[in-house]
């Protein structure tokens, strides 16, 4: 097999993949006189078009992806990304328009923003949305800043933010970046927020509780209303991490549960593709009282059209240039319009059906720390395999690669040791679900019969297990010309 | 359409296996009173032909592309080779996620590694991360990083830094006790170095300066770095027009500590402002404070080279509230496009593009400054943007040009109230000479 | 740009290995006097941006898409799902050749196998080939195949067969001693069966009839087959609008011997006439005379299912002048698109598309026939095309409609001199009711 | 690994990937009353969009292709297909236009046709081109029909066509389809046309000689002018199969050699992609005397624009509906305009350099039946390997698959027993050339050391050697529902 080198290793003078038209203005010398101009960009590559195309085509084939198969990365909602959404989003009217264009020349874009804000408000049961944040984490930061700004307005931003121990790492990190000290709230034996612990910690110094619902175990916080009451009673806000909205669309609405702020990931629930790690989009929805604090600008109706409003004195300001990851938002609109009210409900229903089908099919072979009913995902652990055969979740994950499926999320949430977090989403076929279940079942058997095979997995991939320790101990983060 | 892949039979059998009678039953773990007892009030489902028609109509309400535009200000229209769209559209690049499982993600990982290398080559820095959201956020992260590095709590910000970057820095730092102070610009359009010198003190963690700056003027980065370093402050250099790195000396060469910015110019369409590509690079010694993902080279058990995400102890999923940043999902696909773009252009292509931008902008500036009453506002050397001072209110002139089908740039008054008669114009390799001449003719007519 | 991937150093070293001083030397095997001593007189090389601009300009000189068109006549505008463009654009489908090496071509081979199956399902035949150039050539190959099967030398051709198919049959048969005789159409627009009966004799190898025919009229295929078979002649059924197979009974069901035609409707754009997709299917017993490539199922040495090109002893590379056809390169990528199209639509989608075509064309015919002086020319049932007789010369009316931005169909006089006042119109699912109503209004105005 | 089933095997009721808007005209019953309407299309598939997308994405990865690597299929000119050509050819102005549109609404298309005809005429040194033929074979047929029509006009179509024994199978097949009897002309020891044999056979009953130049060995017919003279002296025509034009562009012109008719493959020399076996395009060029016989319609200048001329009484008629594979022709134009005069010459030069580099690098390890200098391709045989180790060209080809390269053309031309026909084209990089050379060298060694490995190859492919005999003996040419 051809192992594709780095482009730098095949670069050479005299090759090229690009030419510009000849300069059509009189050439001037010394335009940069007095400034430091570089005569060359050292080691910058130079290759032919066929080499470029083969380079990326070959490399592409070393990626697993949703279009190739099941991708049960828990918490990431790796659903199918509809092709029509890709098509409509590259319309020249969208991609060519400059964000500083006069408003009357970009009415279509402004309408897109408004339509998505309105749809998300209805779906989440919130009063207003901002689409500016680029991803979930930036949504969290934005949401927490909005809360803080409001509290400041009331005279005291407070000191603490409460976060369950099952939460995603971005939650504490975002709260911290917002100037808060994080306090962890314990999970109870159901894997949900321990109400007692919460009540104890929820003081007048706490700005907010950041809760994920359904939480990272896939368990719905049954007492969410009580939780909201506890938080509200002390003048705090309830922040919901909406990463798991895929379990709830059309079924129930965070706004109806007492949630004050929520972020939603368009790259999860609303099918925009993950792109190998972004771009995403992390819109933030708020209740009325918090709307004045949302980032500027806001899209507003102006006459028969739309406009941008910048003059919002209470706004936290900007977290991103312009209006966020606009072209991602376009795709989400296409998705929402394709699904309609019934389709939106159906995604949640089938996501939950698929996850429970997997859970039920594997619960003999893999340990479930929490047996609470779950919705759109389920978190197994490697306990059976580890205790008896020394086989870890890592070994199981790597062995799945040999079977041709992407492994689940590992080692998250932290409250499940050796976690295997499985989120199938609603778009999987029965065949691909069964293929995964069969692979997992076989692996459970292999753990008994031949654990060494698992520990050495994967066996058939382009590279085998990589030395991550060496990578971190002695970081090589770029190519260096061995000849220089 | 809801993109469900189960047949009626599948659903039935699956419910049976689970042991419930209906999906409704699976939602038994929700309190009844929370359940929405009505259909969502969103428009009814559209079929694919209807959707296409309605998006065609939406897009057609953007009449912007029909205008001849000289808008830049941080968002540039550059030529994008066909390889970029073609290759980046491959499912294997569009539909995976963050390469958590390196054995099935070597494509993405090797490309990020190449991207990191290209950014280092262009910026002259030791280390680059795998991307940040956009230039504005990268600037904010740069300031936060500087603060972490020397624990001082004041940051100086060039007033000639992109206004939206300044706003974003303000937002990001507002709850962290950082004090921001601005440093003005002089007649040349560049940072006033005397003012910088004066404002620097032992409480200043760093200065962030953009070059070419918001007015297109190339800053004296060497001098800024030198002044900053003399005060043990860090020099953060922002680059909003990444093509300039094809010809201008790299900030790293001048000793910059952190280089951050926007790489939209590398293969990303203006796209009404996003997705773009924030980048950040730094010196080796600052590695542990660098935010964002990093890809590193290593070996597999058979000794073959491979790539992995590395040094994640800086990141939120390991360090939680102590992470260098809260970023998780970044702009990987945009970085992929930038990588394809840069490797397609290659050394000579990127240089040629930079040269043409420089030359065309110079031609435009000279041609437009010949129009009666119009003059170049700043004396500093510029790359592909420049500010013209007009004989009257800038917005009025722009409105008149617009009526003729031209967008003659950005009126600066909104961002710099003192610049009432000033317009920022951008010219790239994508503007044929004819277009520039057309603008000159129109401007002459409008000002007559 | 010439897409060369060698560096200067590569060229030098390669010449050294070969042992020559220059490339010129490698051309030593050409007589000097044949060498072109000047540069080719073709336009100078264009860079990619220039090329794009010049093609944009060329394409813009096609103003056709700005018109509301009811042209059909063998080329139809149907909706194409996004999956078709997206998947068919993959390098792995665009850039391989004929799957001569099955082990590295299972993608293409399995898809052709599925394509062959789909064609059989739609036509009701036993066997389909892997594609032919287009409907016209497929019709010609159908006639040649019939002649090979029974060695008779006269072929009857329905006059209601697409005129270009008839022309192509004429060209293909002209040097082979085949005699062509036409069979006319009656008031219903369909083949005159009495005339057919009369013309059939022991010298006739077969009859080729199109259904729906060129006028959109559904022929009585059962009857034609029956008459042909009574004279030991073969019945060849051509289908130019493949979507009709979604609702009309398959020709195979009526006993047709050969079914051939055009599948452009399955996911191929009008594209100014090509590339299109000729298809051909036949009864099992005629397999050895079928032209074109075939994919068959088999097993590998490990017993796994796999697909190969098969029965190539019918083909030119083995049989040379004795081959069933000279075809080599066919329209594989078009067949791929048709396969994606059909599998995306699925059973229900294709049926629904067929039903909507039927209904909309009926609505259009009814609405337009209400315009004063206009009447439906033929009494036969039609699918998605129909002929209108106008009160004056058809071309004049079409010209007047064109001035209003409408293309009201095809004037038939050029192809059927007796139909001076007649126009052939096509309506598909891609014509919203509004468009049909617009045409009615315009026609009324024009005829006033 | 997931082995992708046939779509029919995953089809099921209730799945769908497509919907149309609701019918917007009043629905009528009985529109087809009295006609046979089908109630269903038996076994026609029904799947979801994610299944469709995975089906084709997975299958795609079982194809080798030019964008993945070296594809030295001799005689097929598997050069790189530039991406910009794909982009410009999907412009709505091209793809949406109807071929029966009024001429004034498709001036751009007519100009495309004219530009390509003119460029090909210049490149081939001919007086006129038709672009109607869909591929090389149809070009041959068209060209031979034109010759026949002209001869008929002169009173006698003649009986025979001469074709060298090295010719491609389409040549005799096309001549036959044109009503001629084929006579083979012997190749001499250089692999070129035996002039004596030709002179003997070239009688007044011979309509034409069909010659390929450079021929299928890659050898230039040095005596082509003499050949032309022999043919012309007897009143015959010289037909050139231009499949190998990639060796000659900008170097020399068939028209200058005495060629009367030529077909060119746009899908070879002019870089249009092969698409898994088409669509191609096989334009035919002729000298002035033959122009009246070209297919209708002809594109002609009309005023300041272009028009179509149908009234050409001597024309052979049509061989294709409309104007040929138009969108393929668009791509060829993009290619010609990108290359310009120097680029066109360079493709020939580098194609010849690359082929000779391979020839020189492998001529120790593989047998060359003809040692005559070659241009753009070279034909080795398996003689060394077969004689000594029983290893055939098939074994070598299959083993190349294990190395990750596409095999050369096998068993053609017929005059080289056990042929391996290698055409690298001009677009290969040194690295990919060397990779192939190294693989071939290793295989030559393996043939000595371990012939069994070669005979069982390929070992690592998705399927291994397939039983082609069984496929032909017991043809299964479509899927049949096992349940029916
Ligand atoms: C529960 C949860 N919260 C927040 C995030 C962060 O979202 P993003 O990666 O878009 O920043 C994730 C991402 O995986 C998540 O799973
Ligand atoms: C020498 C030669 N002639 C003719 C042909 C036939 O061309 P096509 O396949 O385009 O019909 C080929 C095709 O491979 C060929 O190599």
């Amino acid at each position: 097999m051809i192992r594709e080198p780095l482009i730098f290793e095949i670069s050479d003078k005299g090759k090229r993949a690009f030419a510009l038209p000849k300069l059509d203005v009189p050439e001037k010398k010394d335009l940069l006189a007095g400034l430091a101009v570089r005569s060359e960009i050292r080691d910058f590559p130079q290759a032919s078009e066929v080499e470029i195309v083969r380079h990326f085509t070959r490399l592409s084939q070393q990626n697993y992806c949703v279009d190739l198969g099941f991708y049960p990365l828990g918490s990431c909602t790796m659903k199918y990304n509809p092709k029509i959404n890709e098509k409509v989003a590259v319309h020249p009217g969208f991609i060519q328009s400059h964000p500083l264009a006069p408003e009357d020349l970009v009415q279509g874009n402004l309408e897109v923003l408004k339509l998505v804000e309105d749809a998300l408000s209805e779906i989440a049961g919130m009063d207003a949305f901002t689409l500016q944040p680029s991803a979930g984490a930036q949504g969290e930061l934005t949401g927490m800043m909005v809360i803080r700004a409001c509290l400041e307005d009331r005279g005291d931003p407070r000191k603490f933010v409460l976060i369950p121990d099952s939460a995603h790492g971005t939650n504490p990190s975002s709260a911290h970046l917002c100037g808060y000290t994080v306090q962890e709230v314990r999970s109870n034996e159901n894997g949900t927020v321990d109400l007692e612990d919460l009540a104890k910690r929820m003081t007048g110094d706490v700005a907010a509780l950041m809760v994920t619902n359904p939480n990272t175990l896939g368990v719905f916080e049954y007492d969410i209303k009580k939780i909201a009451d506890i938080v509200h009673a002390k003048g705090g806000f309830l922040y919901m991490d909406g990463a798991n909205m895929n379990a709830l669309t059309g079924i129930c609405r965070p706004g109806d549960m007492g949630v004050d702020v929520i972020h939603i990931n368009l790259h999860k629930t609303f099918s925009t593709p993950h792109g190998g790690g972004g771009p995403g989009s992390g819109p933030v929805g708020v209740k009325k009282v918090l709307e004045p604090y949302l980032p500027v600008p806001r899209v507003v109706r102006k006459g028969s059209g739309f406009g941008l409003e910048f003059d919002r004195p209470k706004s936290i300001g900007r977290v991103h240039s312009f209006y966020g990851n606009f072209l991602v938002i376009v795709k989400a609109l296409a998705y929402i319009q394709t699904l309609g009210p019934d389709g939106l409900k159906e995604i949640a229903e089938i996501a939950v059906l698929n996850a429970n089908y997997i859970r039920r099919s594997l619960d003999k072979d893999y340990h479930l720390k929490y047996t609470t009913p779950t919705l759109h995902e389920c978190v197994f652990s490697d306990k059976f395999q580890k205790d008896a055969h020394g086989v870890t979740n890592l070994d199981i994950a790597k062995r799945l690669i040999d079977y041709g499926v992407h492994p689940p999320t590992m080692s998250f949430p932290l409250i499940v040791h050796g976690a295997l977090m499985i989120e199938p989403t609603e778009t999987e076929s029965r065949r691909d679900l069964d293929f995964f279940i069969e692979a997992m079942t076989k692996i459970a058997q292999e753990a008994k019969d031949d654990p060494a095979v698992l520990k050495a997995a994967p066996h058939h991939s382009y590279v085998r297990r990589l030395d991550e320790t060496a990578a971190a101990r002695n970081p090589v983060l770029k190519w260096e010309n061995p000849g220089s | 359409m809801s993109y469900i892949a189960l047949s009626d039979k599948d659903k039935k059998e699956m419910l049976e296996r689970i042991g419930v009678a209906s999906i409704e039953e699976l939602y038994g773990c929700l309190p009844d009173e929370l359940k929405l007892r009505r259909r969502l009030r969103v428009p009814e489902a559209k079929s694919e032909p209807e959707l296409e028609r309605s998006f065609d109509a939406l897009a057609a309400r953007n009449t912007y592309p029909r205008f001849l535009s000289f808008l830049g200000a941080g968002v540039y229209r550059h030529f994008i080779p066909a390889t970029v769209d073609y290759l980046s559209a491959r499912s294997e690049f569009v539909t995976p996620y963050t390469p958590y499982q390196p054995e099935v993600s070597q494509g993405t990982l090797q490309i990020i590694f190449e991207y990191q290398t290209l950014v280092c080559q262009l910026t002259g820095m030791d280390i680059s991360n795998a991307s940040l959201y956009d230039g504005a956020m990268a600037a904010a992260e740069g300031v936060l990083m500087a603060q972490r590095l020397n624990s001082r709590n004041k940051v100086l910000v060039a007033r000639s830094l992109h206004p939206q970057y300044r706003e974003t820095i303000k937002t990001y730092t507002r709850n962290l006790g950082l004090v921001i102070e601005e440093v003005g610009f002089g007649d040349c359009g560049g940072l006033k170095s005397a003012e910088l010198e004066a404002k620097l003190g032992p409480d200043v963690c760093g200065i962030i300066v953009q070059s070419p700056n918001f007015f297109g003027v190339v800053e004296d980065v060497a001098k800024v770095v030198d002044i900053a370093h003399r005060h043990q402050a860090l020099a953060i250099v922002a680059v909003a027009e990444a093509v300039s790195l094809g010809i201008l000396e790299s900030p790293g060469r001048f000793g910059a500590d952190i280089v951050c910015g926007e790489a939209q110019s590398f293969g990303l369409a203006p796209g009404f402002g996003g997705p773009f590509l924030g980048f950040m690079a730094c010196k080796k010694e600052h590695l542990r404070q660098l935010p964002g993902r990093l890809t590193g080279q290593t070996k597999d058990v058979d000794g073959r080279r491979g790539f992995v995400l590395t040094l994640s102890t800086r990141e939120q999923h390991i360090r939680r509230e102590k992470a260098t940043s809260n970023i998780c999902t970044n702009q990987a696909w945009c970085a992929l496009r930038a990588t394809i773009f840069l490797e397609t252009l290659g050394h000579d292509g990127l240089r040629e593009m930079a040269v043409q931008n420089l030359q065309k902008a110079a031609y435009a500036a000279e041609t437009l400054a010949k129009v009666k009453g119009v003059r170049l506002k700043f004396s500093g050397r510029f790359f592909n943007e420049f500010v013209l001072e007009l004989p009257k209110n800038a917005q009025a002139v722009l409105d008149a040009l617009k009526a003729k089908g031209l967008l003659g740039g950005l009126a600066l008054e909104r961002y710099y109230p003192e610049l009432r008669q000033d317009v920022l114009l951008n010219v790239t390799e994508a503007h044929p000479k004819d277009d520039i001449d057309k603008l000159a003719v129109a401007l002459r007519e409008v000002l007559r």
Side-chain angles (χ1 to χ4, degrees), chain A, chain B:
Chain A
M1 183 166 34
I2 294 198
R3 299 195 77 79
E4 187 59 13
L6 292 163
I7 195 78
F8 312 101
E9 295 165 338
I10 57 175
S11 165
D12 203 352
K13 288 225 168 64
K15 301 183 189 182
R16 62 184 183 144
F18 182 75
L20 275 179
K22 282 208 179 51
L23 186 64
D24 64 354
V25 300
E27 187 161 357
K28 288 215 160 187
K29 292 229 173 330
D30 299 327
L31 285 175
L32 294 175
L35 295 177
V37 171
R38 69 208 297 179
S39 53
E40 60 151 5
I41 309 161
R42 247 206 32 224
D43 294 331
F44 206 78
Q46 191 69 40
S48 64
E49 186 170 319
V50 65
E51 287 172 299
I52 303 289
V53 166
R54 286 188 184 161
H55 185 63
F56 288 97
T57 309
R58 288 169 179 168
L59 286 175
S60 79
Q61 291 207 348
Q62 303 316 327
N63 274 357
Y64 190 87
C65 68
V66 170
D67 281 2
L68 281 171
F70 193 48
Y71 207 130
L73 207 61
S75 210
C76 298
T77 316
M78 302 300 290
K79 64 170 69 177
Y80 170 66
N81 313 120
K83 301 311 165 209
I84 184 67
N85 301 355
E86 301 300 306
K87 182 171 177 184
V88 297
V90 295
H91 197 296
F94 297 131
I95 67 169
Q96 287 174 11
S97 46
H98 194 288
L100 295 171
E103 287 171 8
D104 57 329
L105 309 191
V106 289
Q107 283 296 304
N109 292 337
L110 296 176
E111 190 172 342
V112 165
L113 294 172
K114 192 77 190 125
L115 287 169
V116 174
E117 286 184 7
D118 290 351
L120 293 180
S121 295
E122 164 66 5
I123 292 166
M126 306 302 283
D127 296 318
F129 259 86
T130 173
L131 307 179
Q132 206 175 89
S134 282
Q138 201 174 33
E140 294 168 20
L141 178 64
T142 305
M144 291 310 296
M145 281 180 171
V146 163
I147 288 173
R148 185 174 181 121
C150 175
L151 287 170
E152 261 167 9
D153 238 14
R154 293 182 186 167
D156 176 14
R158 305 192 174 192
K159 286 211 187 61
F160 300 103
V161 165
L162 302 184
I163 301 178
D165 50 10
S166 58
H168 192 263
T170 49
N171 291 188
S173 179
S174 300
H176 174 77
L177 192 49
C178 195
Y180 286 113
T181 299
V182 172
Q183 287 194 350
E184 231 172 61
V185 181
R186 241 194 353 246
S187 297
N188 61 24
E189 66 288 355
N190 295 325
T192 53
V193 170
D194 185 322
L195 290 194
E196 251 173 70
D197 195 43
L198 173 65
K200 198 176 70 197
R201 294 178 189 276
M202 187 63 221
T203 68
D205 253 354
V206 171
L209 167 70
M210 292 182 89
V211 73
T212 307
N213 197 19
N215 70 14
T216 59
L217 296 166
V219 177
F220 191 85
E221 294 283 352
Y222 193 88
D223 291 324
I224 186 73
K225 274 232 137 178
K226 278 195 206 137
I227 291 172
D229 290 345
I230 294 171
V231 171
H232 290 157
K234 297 288 180 182
F237 287 98
L238 183 58
Y239 183 102
M240 175 170 145
D241 180 333
N244 293 341
M245 269 303 288
N246 212 46
L248 304 182
T249 51
I251 303 286
C252 63
R253 312 191 313 159
D256 300 339
M257 306 170 194
V259 168
D260 302 298
V261 186
I262 185 174
H263 84 262
I264 283 177
N265 289 359
L266 299 186
H267 49 297
K268 296 180 178 174
T269 317
F270 294 95
S271 89
T272 70
H274 285 83
S281 176
V284 171
V286 295
K287 289 284 171 65
K288 200 105 215 133
V289 290
L290 295 170
E291 188 177 358
Y293 306 96
L294 288 176
V296 279
R298 302 281 303 145
V299 186
V300 292
R301 291 196 179 273
K302 261 192 199 167
S304 63
F306 302 90
L308 291 166
E309 199 176 277
F310 288 86
D311 187 22
R312 307 197 27 122
K314 293 187 175 228
S315 164
I316 60 163
R318 283 192 169 278
V319 295
H320 192 285
S321 52
F322 311 111
Y323 328 110
N325 281 340
F326 177 73
L327 297 176
V328 175
I329 295 163
V330 173
K331 296 178 195 179
L333 178 62
Y335 185 68
I336 292 168
Q337 294 198 342
T338 297
L339 264 58
D342 301 328
L344 284 165
K345 186 172 184 193
E346 199 181 0
I347 62 176
E349 291 179 331
I350 305 296
V352 168
L353 173 65
N354 287 352
N356 277 281
Y357 178 69
I358 286 182
R359 176 175 162 166
R360 186 72 193 79
S361 303
L362 294 177
D363 64 5
K364 298 271 170 309
D365 291 315
Y366 292 91
H367 177 245
L368 263 182
K369 176 166 173 192
Y370 298 95
T371 54
T372 330
T374 44
L375 292 175
H376 71 300
E377 63 190 358
C378 55
V379 181
F380 290 102
S381 89
D382 59 13
K383 188 172 167 41
F384 293 166
Q385 289 71 29
K386 189 146 171 227
D387 289 357
H389 317 288
V391 165
T392 66
N393 59 346
L394 186 77
D395 302 325
I396 295 165
K398 297 304 178 195
R399 184 60 178 163
L400 273 170
I401 291 173
D402 281 336
Y403 283 99
V405 206
H406 196 281
T409 292
M410 276 161 45
S411 312
F412 171 64
L414 302 179
I415 57 170
V416 177
H417 198 82
L420 288 162
M421 183 190 210
I422 300 167
E423 180 185 12
T425 88
E426 75 282 6
T427 59
E428 287 306 305
S429 69
R430 178 79 178 286
R431 177 167 66 105
D432 283 336
L433 291 170
D434 285 346
F435 188 87
F436 171 74
I437 289 166
E438 203 185 305
M440 286 292 283
T441 310
K442 279 189 200 152
I443 290 171
Q445 191 59 42
E446 286 177 331
K448 295 176 195 159
D449 300 343
D450 193 1
V453 168
L454 305 193
K455 283 180 200 149
H459 300 270
H460 310 306
S461 45
Y462 181 70
V463 292
R464 294 184 51 219
R465 243 184 249 201
L466 288 151
D467 190 343
E468 308 209 14
T469 318
R473 196 174 320 117
N474 190 1
V476 178
L477 304 174
K478 67 174 180 196
W479 175 82
E480 312 244 18
N481 190 342
S484 69
Chain B
M1 284 284 301
S2 51
Y3 304 106
I4 302 299
L6 301 180
S7 69
D8 305 337
K9 183 164 139 276
D10 291 332
K11 289 183 212 161
K12 205 175 133 276
E13 291 174 3
M14 288 165 69
L15 287 169
E16 273 166 28
R17 160 114 45 116
I18 298 169
V20 292
S22 69
I23 293 177
E24 181 71 38
E25 213 176 297
L26 294 173
Y27 278 107
C29 52
L30 262 67
D32 258 357
E33 74 273 19
L34 287 185
K35 287 188 190 156
L36 191 66
R37 294 290 164 208
R38 59 167 177 84
R39 294 171 79 224
L40 284 171
R41 291 184 190 114
V42 295
E44 291 300 325
K46 285 192 168 68
S47 66
E48 195 173 311
E50 288 166 304
L51 189 80
E52 252 193 273
R53 227 176 289 146
S54 93
F55 271 72
D56 281 352
L58 266 176
R61 287 201 276 286
N62 295 323
T63 49
Y64 174 83
R66 287 186 227 154
F67 286 73
L68 172 53
S69 171
F70 293 86
L71 281 168
V75 182
Y76 306 97
R77 181 167 62 100
H78 288 292
F79 185 76
I80 300 179
T83 50
V84 178
D85 282 340
Y86 189 82
L87 294 167
S88 69
R90 285 181 64 80
S91 286
E92 294 90 334
F93 291 137
V94 174
T95 74
Y97 206 7
T98 309
Y100 295 120
Q101 296 286 344
E103 298 86 352
V104 286
S105 313
Q106 285 298 301
T108 296
L109 285 162
Q110 178 166 333
I111 290 161
I112 299 176
F113 187 80
E114 293 185 5
Y115 165 83
Q116 290 174 179
T117 306
L118 294 166
V119 170
C120 289
Q121 291 172 344
L122 287 170
T123 58
M125 304 302 285
D126 299 324
I127 295 164
S128 159
N129 73 9
S131 76
L132 294 170
Y133 300 139
D134 71 343
M137 182 266 198
E141 288 279 7
V143 165
L144 293 179
M145 177 173 171
Q147 194 273 338
R148 284 194 302 275
L149 281 167
N150 64 13
S151 306
R152 298 175 178 185
N153 281 328
K154 189 195 270 185
V155 67
L156 302 182
V157 174
R159 224 172 143 243
S160 52
L161 176 66
H162 194 297
Q164 298 204 354
Y165 293 17
R166 283 183 285 137
E167 287 176 49
T168 305
I169 291 173
K170 216 166 114 197
T171 311
Y172 262 77
T173 56
R174 59 184 279 163
N175 302 314
L176 301 173
L178 251 96
V179 179
I180 291 174
E181 212 168 308
E182 292 195 338
V183 182
F185 51 87
D187 291 343
C188 67
L191 185 85
K192 282 187 182 156
S193 51
E195 187 180 329
L196 170 62
E197 185 85 54
K199 286 185 170 163
L200 271 163
D203 55 338
V204 173
C205 82
I207 158 85
I208 178 164
V209 64
Q210 176 182 328
S211 181
N213 70 19
F214 186 64
F215 308 124
V217 172
V218 181
E219 293 278 2
D220 188 345
V221 175
K223 194 172 195 174
V224 172
V225 170
D226 183 55
I227 299 174
H229 285 181
R230 272 194 281 110
H231 292 82
Q232 284 78 51
L234 295 158
I236 309 165
V237 178
V239 180
E241 170 44 300
V243 167
S244 67
L245 293 169
I247 183 148
L248 297 177
E249 189 48 274
S250 71
R253 188 68 179 274
F254 299 125
D257 298 285
I258 298 170
V259 181
C260 53
E262 177 58 65
Q264 172 264 326
S265 288
F266 293 162
L268 297 165
F272 203 53
F276 285 175
L277 174 56
F279 70 89
M280 179 173 279
C282 69
K283 291 182 177 166
K284 208 175 345 205
E285 58 263 40
H286 301 150
L287 168 60
R288 302 281 153 180
Q289 289 304 335
L290 186 66
R293 305 218 190 265
L294 285 170
T295 293
Q297 180 179 309
T298 186
K299 289 206 162 69
D300 77 356
V301 291
D302 297 328
R304 277 182 300 213
R305 175 167 72 183
F307 303 92
V308 293
L309 289 179
T310 191
L311 295 165
S312 50
T313 48
R314 299 164 302 110
E315 290 182 63
Q316 45 72 30
H317 61 285
I318 307 283
R319 295 264 286 185
R320 300 180 79 85
E321 63 269 28
K322 297 194 190 66
T324 52
S325 164
N326 68 333
I327 191 168
C328 177
T329 297
N330 54 25
Q331 305 280 116
W333 187 75
C334 303
L336 163 79
R337 284 183 67 97
T339 308
I340 303 171
F341 175 92
L342 291 171
E343 295 181 4
T344 300
L345 262 65
H347 183 276
D348 300 350
L350 182 61
R351 270 192 76 76
E352 173 67 11
M353 187 178 275
V355 166
Q356 290 209 7
N357 276 257
L358 178 74
Q359 291 287 347
K360 292 201 170 200
Y363 171 78
E366 188 186 315
T367 308
L368 295 167
K370 280 189 197 139
V371 175
K372 212 178 132 203
V374 176
R375 68 175 203 96
L376 254 177
K377 176 73 179 179
F378 298 117
S379 61
R381 305 263 172 193
F382 56 90
F383 176 59
N384 69 1
E385 274 179 298
F386 52 90
V387 175
L388 288 183
E389 186 182 296
L390 306 178
K392 37 178 161 164
N393 175 279
Q395 194 56 55
V397 175
L398 290 177
D399 290 346
L401 286 172
K402 186 176 146 206
K404 290 174 176 289
L406 287 111
L407 301 174
L410 186 70
L412 288 175
E413 184 179 4
R414 171 193 241 159
Y415 309 98
Y416 301 92
E418 71 271 35
L419 301 180
R420 282 201 61 239
Q421 308 199 164
D422 300 86
V423 173
L424 176 65
L425 292 99
N426 162 247
V427 180
T428 75
E429 81 289 346
H431 290 92
K433 177 171 175 295
D434 279 2
D435 286 356
I436 300 169
D437 295 342
K438 240 180 248 165
L439 176 62
V441 170
L443 187 61
R444 196 162 282 130
E445 286 168 9
V446 162
L447 292 178
R448 193 149 50 197

